[in-house]
Amino acid sequence: MALVTKAVKGTKDALPAEIHKYQYIEATVIDIAEKYGYKEMRTPVFEHTELFQRGVGDTTDVVQKEMYTFDDKGGRSITLKPEGTAGEVRSFLENGLCNETMPQKISYVTPCYRYEKPQAGRLREFHQFGVECFGTQSPVADVEIIALASRIFENLGIKDLSLEINSIGCPKCRAKYLQALREYFSARQDELCNTCRDRLERNPMRILDCKGPICSEIASHAPVVIDYLCDDCKEHFAKVQDYLKAMNIEFTINPKIVRGLDYYTKTVFEFLSGSIGAQSAVCAGGRYDRLVEELGGQHTPSLGFAMGLERVMLLMEAQGSEFPAPQVPDLFIATLGDKALVKALEISEDMRAEGFATVLDLNQRSLRAQMKYADKLGATFNVVIGDSEVENSKAKLKNMSTGEETEIDLTTFVNGFYNISLSQQLADLEINGEEFDFSSLFGTGENKEQ
Ligand code: HAM
């Protein structure tokens, strides 16, 4: 196929037929985050390369192998964001949010770019929903963001996720651990790949991420960081576990989670699913108590997580989760002749101004073709306007599901539409045998049970 009609490998279009699913997921995550006090923030899709080199870490797979980096026409090295956190921290510092009352709670939905081998659930352009909570060292915050992620999964109807947690300590305990790793890997240095031999010197923890078969086999027997925690980190981790238990959030401790990004300290966690193949991590995050400082700010203990929205979608589809039905037009206007088209234009604008989704045929096709089109769109009502309807200012509004027709005055169309559609909705409720609580229309609450 010609390149111009082929999407770049590892990218995916979201088509109109499924867009309501993405919109539903995005609206849900942002809304739930707000319930926890998170306000959305939007940052550019590209940043200076150095931000990721310093923030994510220049010995990580993400920075060494996966970034989309290029020089812009002004000679700056630019990188498409491979993840959301570094850009949020940059903005937090640059825009003075760091001088506001802490904690600052931020959420985002953003495209991310990683040059990875594409497979189900792994894309080169994907979307993350994430939250970042700046300025708290309390273990309550760790548990609150885990609860936030759990609530999202619950509200989206996602089941059977397992939560795995670990603590990877602070710089104090990390020094001892890195020493232990160096000793361990040095003994098998000759078997490591070139990248990992370099990592042995610069950052031996990153050898644990290597996907090469030999390195990962060696890494599977390496010392685990949880055995090297200082008293402070041990206590923090114990509290996180206590609070999770108090909130009935199930978890297991997986001492092997180290996360592939350099900024993490103390608590790290992942939500995993068995329903979407090899790319099982749906959501992951943890603390990064030193990142703000490392990027030039004050000491600001912080934490966050991100979930891959394509993976959330895959999971919901695999589990048969329910999505709200896609929106259909309230009204389709079929027209015959120029005068009718002008009238239809006027009515459709009035309808839209009142919040009714209205579509009219732009191609002036035969009535039959217009009706077929209306059927395809699934419009709730349709109306046909021709010369005689314009002349008499009257037309027939047809309910597409019952076939019922009601005369409507074209001069007061929107009012008429409102009355007819409301009375048909009430009639539908009666047909379905449901009792309609009229007080709910007026919000008096008088008849509501306390
Ligand atoms: P991460 O584990 O690299 O963490 O990515 C978070 C999530 O993004 C993953 O769990 C996965 O659902 C999704 N994801 C990652 N790579 C891909 C891909 N190639 N295709 C599809 N989905 C993918 C971070 O990015 C951290 N910034 C999370 C964080 C926020 N930590 C603290 N705050």
Side-chain angles (χ1 to χ4, degrees), residues 274-385:
S275 323
I276 50 168
Q279 299 310 310
S280 59
V282 186
C283 170
R287 275 202 164 270
Y288 48 91
D289 287 348
R290 293 172 48 83
L291 180 59
V292 173
E293 243 167 303
E294 277 161 9
L295 295 178
Q298 304 276 323
H299 176 63
T300 312
S302 304
L303 67 162
F305 70 70
M307 55 180 73
L309 294 182
E310 286 81 1
R311 289 190 194 173
V312 168
M313 174 81 114
L314 267 183
L315 193 51
M316 289 178 73
E317 283 178 339
Q319 295 187 349
S321 309
E322 275 185 35
F323 289 94
Q327 268 231 320
V328 291
D330 297 302
L331 174 70
F332 180 83
I333 310 180
T335 60
L336 294 167
D338 281 346
K339 276 193 206 148
L341 189 57
V342 171
K343 187 74 197 161
L345 259 178
E346 186 192 304
I347 292 175
S348 58
E349 275 309 302
D350 290 347
M351 286 286 286
R352 292 164 186 153
E354 286 304 313
F356 294 111
T358 305
V359 177
L360 69 162
D361 186 59
L362 298 174
N363 288 346
Q364 294 185 272
R365 288 176 289 198
S366 70
L367 189 59
R368 208 178 126 90
Q370 293 190 51
M371 285 307 150
K372 245 176 135 177
Y373 181 43
D375 234 24
K376 259 232 149 86
L377 296 174
T380 313
F381 287 90
N382 85 45
V383 66
V384 181
I385 305 181

Side-chain angles (χ1 to χ4, degrees), residues 83 85 114 116 121 123 128 132 259 263-264 281-282 304-305 308:
E83 57 97 57
T85 309
R114 294 186 193 176
E116 291 189 89
L123 293 155
Q128 282 189 344
E132 311 296 348
R259 310 281 300 123
Y263 46 64
Y264 289 108
V282 186
F305 70 70

